[in-house]
Amino acid sequence: MHMSSPGMAPYVMPDPATLPPDRSGWAIDPRRAALLVLNVQNHLLHVLRESSAPANQLVAGVGALTESARAAGIPVLYTVATAEREPTGRGVAFGHPRFPGDDDSRAVVDAIRPQVGDSVLAAKRFSAFAGTGLRRHLAEVGRDQPVIVGVFARTQVLLTAADAWMQYMEPFVVADAVADRARDDQQMAVDWIAATCGAVRTVRGVADVFGGPDSLARAT
């Protein structure tokens, strides 16, 4: 039976009724959207489970959206932290977990691993745009609405959304398909994004727009 880490209270994904109000006025357009999956790697999911974060709900939600995006012809892009990331240890100094030395710890979780046609970018910093060519890639496929899912909410998700907004894009964050080690961290990230730079949505709402009813069943 899974046990919580000391000082970490178990939590579940946010209820749609508790999400912050939308200030953006934006609507997801499947012709402009790209699904951006951040750092859903074995070790990071292990860290979430040790903290009693809703890792299984995260995987189910990300899985539903990757399937519905692919079915609709919407680009799916993954970022993954590599062995070369943060060689000076600055990420560790700010509380980001250090990866073990084995390759499996950095592999994407099997249930939501990239498929043929997806893109995989090596993450350099917390923002998925930093040093990855993501902006160029999105421009090449004519997409300016990154729909962001993955971990961690208070670092990768938050800073990627802010970076997208500063590059004149319309970032969407899927509140029940992002996670962090503590509920307060996830809630802070979702609230901050909704108040400053992005639109917050749910798995159900995004999958409905993407048009993947079979995939949506995985997340309900």
Side-chain angles (χ1 to χ4, degrees), residues 62-176:
V62 172
L65 293 179
T66 54
E67 288 183 7
S68 57
R70 292 177 189 126
I74 293 169
V76 179
L77 303 95
Y78 288 74
T79 64
V80 294
T82 65
E84 292 75 26
R85 184 189 175 278
E86 294 286 12
T88 63
R90 293 190 301 163
V92 176
F94 284 98
H96 193 72
R98 186 187 298 273
F99 277 87
D102 60 292
D103 291 340
D104 184 66
S105 68
R106 294 186 178 86
V108 172
V109 175
D110 280 345
I112 48 177
R113 65 183 181 273
Q115 303 295 310
V116 174
D118 297 344
S119 299
V120 181
L121 306 173
K124 306 296 184 182
R125 295 291 186 268
F126 288 146
S127 170
F129 289 93
T132 62
L134 175 59
R135 181 179 183 179
R136 182 183 69 253
H137 189 102
L138 291 174
E140 288 173 351
V141 294
R143 306 287 165 150
D144 64 351
Q145 288 186 336
V147 179
I148 302 168
V149 299
V151 295
F152 289 103
R154 68 183 176 92
T155 47
Q156 285 91 339
V157 172
L158 186 154
L159 292 174
T160 298
D163 208 345
W165 181 80
M166 288 188 285
Q167 297 184 53
Y168 301 97
M169 299 181 190
E170 296 179 358
F172 292 80
V173 170
V174 187
D176 50 349

Side-chain angles (χ1 to χ4, degrees), residues 60-61 63-65 67-68 203-204 207-208 212-220:
L65 293 179
E67 288 183 7
S68 57
V203 170
R204 178 180 291 276
D208 185 57
D214 294 336
S215 299
L216 179 57
R218 283 186 59 185
T220 57

